Amino acid sequence: MTQLDERKLDPAVALASLDDTAPREPHRLYALKHGDCFAVADAYGDIRGTGDGFFRDDTRVLSEFRLTVGGRSTSLLGASLSQDNVLFTANLTNLPINDADGRQIPQGALHIERVRLLWQERLYERLTLSNYSQEHSTVLISLRFAADFRDMFEVRGSTRSKRGVVGAAEVGEDSIALRYEGLDKIVRTSVISFSQTPDRLEPDRADFLIVLSKRSRQTLYIEVGGQVADTPDRERFRASAARARFNMRAKRRHGATLHSSGRVFNDWVARARADVALLTTELPTGPYPYAGIPWFSTAFGRDGVISALQMLWLNPGLARGVLSFLALHQATETSPFSDSQPGKIMHETRKGEMTALSELPFGRYYGGVDTTPLYIHLACGYADRTGDMGFIDSLWPSLCAAAEWIEEASRSTGFVTYQRAADSGLANQGWKDSFDSVFHADGRIPKGPIALVEVQGYVFAAFQGLAQLAERRGETDRAQAWQQRAEAIRQRVESDFWLEDLNYYALALDGDGQPCKVRTSNAGHLLFVGLPTPERAGMVADQLLSASFHTGWGLRTLADDAVFFNPMSYHNGSTWPHDTALCAQGLARYGNRDSVVRLMSGTFESAVHFNMRLPELFCGFTRAPGEAPIAYPVACLPQAWSAGSAFMLMQACLGLRIDGWNGEIHVTRPRLPIGIDNLTIRHLAVADNAVDLTFQRVGDRVGAFLADRHEGLVPLIVRS
């Protein structure tokens, strides 16, 4: 069995294994996704075989895919994704080359366009060459390819003592099949097909001599899939593109939409919405937002729940899909290897060879201490948003089982703690799961079991919400018990985690009950659930908004005076948009809405520098005039909870809450983002109605009103 080093789960570790030609800037890479397939390539459309590739079910089925023209690489003109994330386009031109007859072709005489999409486990590519010279030419076009069939965890840095067998390439007339039989006895295949017969086809290369008369154009179609299909051609490409675009359009129509007076702001919102749609996979249980590309393109419990919370006010159907999936995969037995206990909610699921062979525990892994209370919190939030008690009744046995797990997990200390059950699991099991993300002020790594501060906040919210649902179900005794449990957790957090000398909450308590006296953004999540007293919430808010945390682009995960602070680290000083958004929602909950506007502005400006797409994280350097935020080298892009941050920040600015029980919209002290004078939310579902709600800046105030045709349908309650 392969021994897991938890450091290899940190994508930063993968950086050390990349060669000098590796694509290291995630915002310069381009991702496509459909279902359980995704592709990542550079701006040229090339796959180089490092962290990029074409992946199917957590296996890299195309590890190299490079284009040369006339025996040379191309020159990049530009690259882009369509607004709906369906089509990737690279515009290229030739370097000085010779044609097949030895005549020189000057640089810029040829235009090469690569258009790519994914649909139903196949990669489709259209390669178009246009000759803008005055000469007839026969141009050598070469595609170099390979499929290493490496498991995603191998790509991320895990090593294996033994692998399966790579079969000999099967070279056909106009296609080639690459095969690998894994140790799990599954044969994985990658078939590369061409619309015209190559002039030379070898196990790792296809050469085409393309005849171009002056001012002419020629097109080559390529497909990569798991099996032989019909010959690629224009009709197949167009039909697949049309189906993919229709599918994406349907996903983007779910829920309400936003439109503001700011054109660039609208571009960001549209891209964020498209990214959520791209990462959302239709499962038998409903829609589920996969965490991020490339490292986490699968169902994660924590990420799915938080993404659904971010989108809940706009699209509660996403929350329903997440809850249904997690309830179906709730643990029913105890397993140290998978870190499961009855009632616990799944952390991660994988489909690759290494998990199938139990070399790693992540086939279905439960080593997340926060996912179970967050699951309950989402269910309670969904109920408040929709009033859908029928669905909650169907979930009730699962919610009760989750509550029982929380009770059992906190029996010995009064807090929900974690300590990995097997060495193959994660050492740290909160959202900051790097091996060094939990520590004492002097740098000592605490011994377990560990109680994280934000997890206790999630537990407080879970029991508080369950108490309200139990009351609606007529289970008065259970409601009172859960409400008492919530209040007991609140009091214990206030007494055991509060640090008088720092006027802040400790990051965690170690196995001896000693606090980790480190200031982190985790404390901001207590504001998100409303646990602290207003006085203490104000002290936390002041520090989160100080220069120790607030970079000008967002909030750092760790104060800049901590012993392990490093703005280039994965969890110890970087900026995560979803973390900033959760803290911002907490600030808004305690009435600090003007500061939320500042955070929204910094996050939006960060997105502008990242081509309208927020990465998983970026470096936590302080903002300086004229400088852009610094990218983290191997961050996921897109990332669901980063895209969803735009919408949680917007809700926090607007002070908007929907009461699904009474069919009402509540707006409290609304603010608009800087530079935005009006914003309209269209087709906002409230009970059985869909309404348009507009926010308008009037002097130094912001008003809210429903469209005339909706007057009287839904009560709008505005508090200034």
Side-chain angles (χ1 to χ4, degrees), residues 68 92 189 201 234 270 350 367 403 430 484 496 520 574 630-631 658 666 711:
T68 60
L92 314 164
T189 306
L201 183 56
R234 178 175 181 268
R350 294 284 185 174
Q484 290 170 2
D496 292 9
T520 65
S574 53
I630 307 301
I658 298 168
H666 294 252
E711 289 272 345

Side-chain angles (χ1 to χ4, degrees), residues 282 429 485:
E282 290 295 332
Q429 297 187 359
R485 186 76 176 90

Side-chain angles (χ1 to χ4, degrees), residues 310 521-529 540-541 544-545 550 553-555 576-603 644-655:
Q310 292 169 332
S521 62
N522 302 53
H525 296 212
L526 292 184
L527 275 61
F528 170 69
V529 298
V540 171
L544 286 174
L545 295 167
H550 191 196
W553 302 115
L555 300 181
W576 291 64
H578 90 277
D579 186 41
T580 295
L582 286 167
C583 292
Q585 188 74 287
L587 292 169
R589 183 172 191 144
Y590 285 87
N592 202 340
R593 214 170 300 282
D594 289 337
S595 296
V596 173
V597 173
R598 287 173 52 207
L599 290 173
M600 173 65 131
S601 178
T603 303
S645 298
F647 305 104
M648 180 170 275
L649 284 163
M650 179 60 72
Q651 183 184 16
C653 281
L654 299 177

Side-chain angles (χ1 to χ4, degrees), residues 260-589:
S260 78
S261 58
R263 182 181 60 80
V264 178
F265 189 84
N266 289 341
D267 289 344
W268 175 43
V269 170
R271 173 59 72 190
R273 193 61 182 269
D275 282 352
V276 173
L278 174 72
L279 290 165
T280 297
T281 301
E282 290 295 332
L283 302 175
T285 48
Y288 200 102
Y290 283 8
I293 298 173
W295 312 116
F296 310 121
S297 187
T298 187
F300 274 76
R302 178 192 303 119
D303 296 64
V305 167
I306 291 178
S307 298
L309 284 168
Q310 292 169 332
M311 301 299 295
L312 182 58
W313 65 290
L314 292 169
N315 180 18
L318 192 62
R320 185 179 176 123
V322 169
L323 290 166
S324 297
F325 178 86
L326 295 178
L328 180 65
H329 295 93
Q330 189 172 26
T332 58
E333 61 183 14
T334 298
S335 168
F337 182 66
S338 64
D339 229 328
S340 65
Q341 296 96 33
K344 200 173 184 183
I345 297 298
M346 186 197 75
H347 169 68
E348 176 180 1
T349 182
R350 294 284 185 174
K351 297 181 179 180
E353 179 186 359
M354 293 178 72
T355 54
L357 293 167
S358 296
E359 294 179 23
L360 297 173
F362 303 111
R364 192 177 297 168
Y365 182 60
Y366 293 83
V369 70
D370 50 359
T371 309
T372 306
L374 280 171
Y375 164 75
I376 297 174
H377 181 52
L378 176 63
C380 298
Y382 172 84
D384 289 342
R385 169 64 178 84
T386 64
D388 184 1
M389 203 62 195
F391 179 65
I392 294 301
D393 287 343
S394 71
L395 282 184
W396 197 246
S398 170
L399 294 172
C400 291
E404 289 171 9
W405 176 83
I406 293 173
E407 292 280 13
E408 184 61 32
S410 57
R411 193 171 304 280
S412 61
T413 65
F415 295 118
V416 172
T417 62
Y418 68 87
Q419 187 167 22
R420 64 179 172 187
D423 289 342
S424 56
L426 292 170
N428 283 316
Q429 297 187 359
W431 85 262
K432 298 175 182 176
D433 56 8
S434 299
F435 71 100
D436 61 349
S437 61
V438 180
F439 56 94
H440 282 288
D442 59 4
R444 287 179 296 117
I445 300 299
K447 71 175 186 178
I450 293 170
L452 290 169
V453 65
E454 78 276 14
V455 173
Q456 316 318 313
Y458 303 153
V459 170
F460 160 76
F463 280 123
Q464 192 175 63
L466 281 175
Q468 295 168 5
L469 291 180
E471 190 70 43
R472 290 185 179 276
R473 288 173 50 86
E475 300 181 25
T476 305
D477 290 346
R478 183 174 265 176
Q480 291 176 349
W482 279 336
Q483 187 58 52
Q484 290 170 2
R485 186 76 176 90
E487 185 56 33
I489 283 288
R490 182 205 294 269
Q491 292 177 10
R492 286 289 307 278
V493 170
E494 293 284 41
S495 65
D496 292 9
F497 280 84
W498 183 253
L499 305 172
E500 290 289 351
D501 53 337
L502 297 179
N503 286 329
Y504 206 77
Y505 292 95
L507 163 62
L509 302 182
D510 68 11
D512 294 324
Q514 295 302 306
C516 298
K517 297 184 176 183
V518 181
R519 294 186 303 151
T520 65
S521 62
N522 302 53
H525 296 212
L526 292 184
L527 275 61
F528 170 69
V529 298
L531 184 148
T533 64
E535 181 184 10
R536 287 185 175 177
M539 295 178 188
V540 171
D542 288 345
Q543 294 188 56
L544 286 174
L545 295 167
S546 72
S548 291
F549 284 100
H550 191 196
T551 68
W553 302 115
L555 300 181
R556 297 187 181 100
T557 56
L558 179 66
D560 62 0
D561 59 355
V563 63
F564 283 167
F565 172 73
N566 180 351
M568 300 174 289
S569 70
Y570 194 52
H571 285 130
N572 287 335
S574 53
T575 295
W576 291 64
H578 90 277
D579 186 41
T580 295
L582 286 167
C583 292
Q585 188 74 287
L587 292 169
R589 183 172 191 144

Side-chain angles (χ1 to χ4, degrees), residues 113 125-129 195-196 210 212 217-221 234:
E113 181 190 61
E125 181 155 320
R126 184 183 68 204
L127 183 62
T128 304
L129 281 80
S195 60
Q196 70 181 63
I210 305 294
L212 292 169
R217 175 180 299 171
Q218 295 290 338
T219 302
L220 175 66
Y221 294 92
R234 178 175 181 268

